[in-house]
């Protein structure tokens, strides 16, 4: 739930801002991209630590922190796809017949951004799981008695000689979850490339 909810937050805000930035262009786009560049200059886990230091430890705050740290990546990806999509003939045709900007964004541009967003979202869930586990291991994430893999690792390391399974099993669960989401992202990317090749052939 930590990975899914934090990525959902980043997806919602990042897609909205990226669509507006890429479609409008001009000074608005320049200002948003400079702010994104500044945020991306900071490591994601460091930005998450800053947010948690302000909000305090806890699962909900970890979700918010990871969402804030991931938003700039979604903004940049959506903006790039929007810049390419807005130059297509169907967008120019929609503008020529008087279609409003919100309709163009939702009906014509957003479907073209969905493919890259799916791949990025799947990869971001894996990254969010890893960062959330690290934060909980440091005591900044989930607090007892809330169950969380990183917190289980932190608690189990004190008894690894007597009860090794308390540490090994959460670590294996983290590894399997991250590998699984990475495989899902690879599958989504391969599927998207196949569809693009089919469309180009047709």
């Amino acid at each position: 739930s930590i990975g899914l909810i934090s990525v959902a937050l980043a997806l919602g805000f990042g897609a909205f801002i990226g669509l507006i930035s890429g479609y409008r262009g001009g000074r608005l786009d320049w200002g948003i991209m400079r702010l994104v560049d500044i945020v991306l200059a900071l490591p994601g886990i460091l930005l998450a630590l800053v947010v948690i230091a302000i909000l305090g430890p806890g699962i909900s705050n970890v979700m918010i922190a990871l969402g804030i740290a991931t938003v700039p990546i979604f903004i940049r990806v959506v903006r790039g796809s929007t810049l390419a999509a807005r130059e297509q003939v169907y967008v120019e045709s929609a503008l020529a017949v008087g279609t409003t900007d919100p309709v163009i964004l939702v009906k014509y541009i957003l479907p073209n951004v969905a493919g890259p967003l799916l791949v990025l979202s799947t990869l971001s869930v894996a990254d969010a799981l890893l960062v959330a586990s690290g934060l909980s291991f440091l005591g900044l994430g989930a607090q007892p008695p809330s169950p969380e893999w990183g917190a289980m690792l932190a608690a189990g390391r004190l008894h690894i000689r007597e009860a090794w399974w308390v540490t090994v099993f959460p670590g294996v669960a983290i590894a399997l979850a991250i590998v699984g989401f990475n495989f899902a992202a690879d599958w989504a990317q391969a599927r998207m490339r196949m569809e693009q090749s089919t469309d180009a052939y047709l």
Side-chain angles (χ1 to χ4, degrees):
S1 62
I2 292 176
L4 294 174
I5 294 175
S6 61
V7 171
L9 291 173
L11 174 62
F13 287 103
F16 176 77
I17 298 173
L19 282 171
I20 299 300
S21 177
Y23 186 74
R24 287 294 183 184
R27 293 183 178 179
L28 177 63
D29 179 45
W30 185 89
I32 291 175
M33 285 302 102
R34 298 297 74 77
L35 182 60
V36 168
D37 291 339
I38 293 173
V39 177
L40 287 177
L42 301 173
I45 190 169
L46 178 60
L47 183 59
L49 283 171
V50 172
V51 175
I52 291 176
I54 296 172
L55 300 178
I59 292 181
S60 299
N61 293 337
V62 168
M63 294 176 185
I64 296 172
L66 293 177
I68 293 174
T70 313
V71 163
I73 302 173
F74 280 89
I75 293 176
R76 184 169 287 280
V77 170
V78 173
R79 173 191 177 262
S81 300
T82 303
L83 288 173
R86 75 175 186 178
E87 302 298 331
Q88 299 298 320
V89 177
Y90 52 82
V91 175
E92 296 178 0
S93 301
L95 288 170
V97 298
T99 307
T100 60
D101 291 342
V103 174
I104 291 176
L105 287 172
V106 174
K107 188 176 181 180
Y108 297 103
I109 295 182
L110 186 57
N112 290 281
V113 181
L117 276 181
L118 176 61
V119 177
L120 179 60
S121 298
T122 311
L123 286 172
S124 297
V125 171
D127 291 338
L129 284 173
L130 186 60
V131 175
S133 298
L135 292 173
S136 295
F137 184 84
L138 297 174
L140 300 174
Q143 301 298 309
S146 299
E148 201 275 335
W149 289 333
M152 292 178 185
L153 282 174
R157 79 183 192 280
L158 302 175
H159 310 285
I160 194 169
R161 292 181 180 273
E162 299 83 14
W164 56 267
W165 55 88
V166 179
T167 301
V168 171
F169 288 159
V172 171
I174 294 171
L176 290 177
I178 293 173
V179 170
F181 278 108
N182 284 330
F183 277 137
D186 291 340
W187 174 84
Q189 190 172 14
R191 184 69 178 269
M192 185 176 63
R193 288 177 179 173
M194 186 182 300
E195 292 178 355
Q196 290 175 348
S197 300
T198 304
D199 292 340
Y201 176 76
L202 294 175

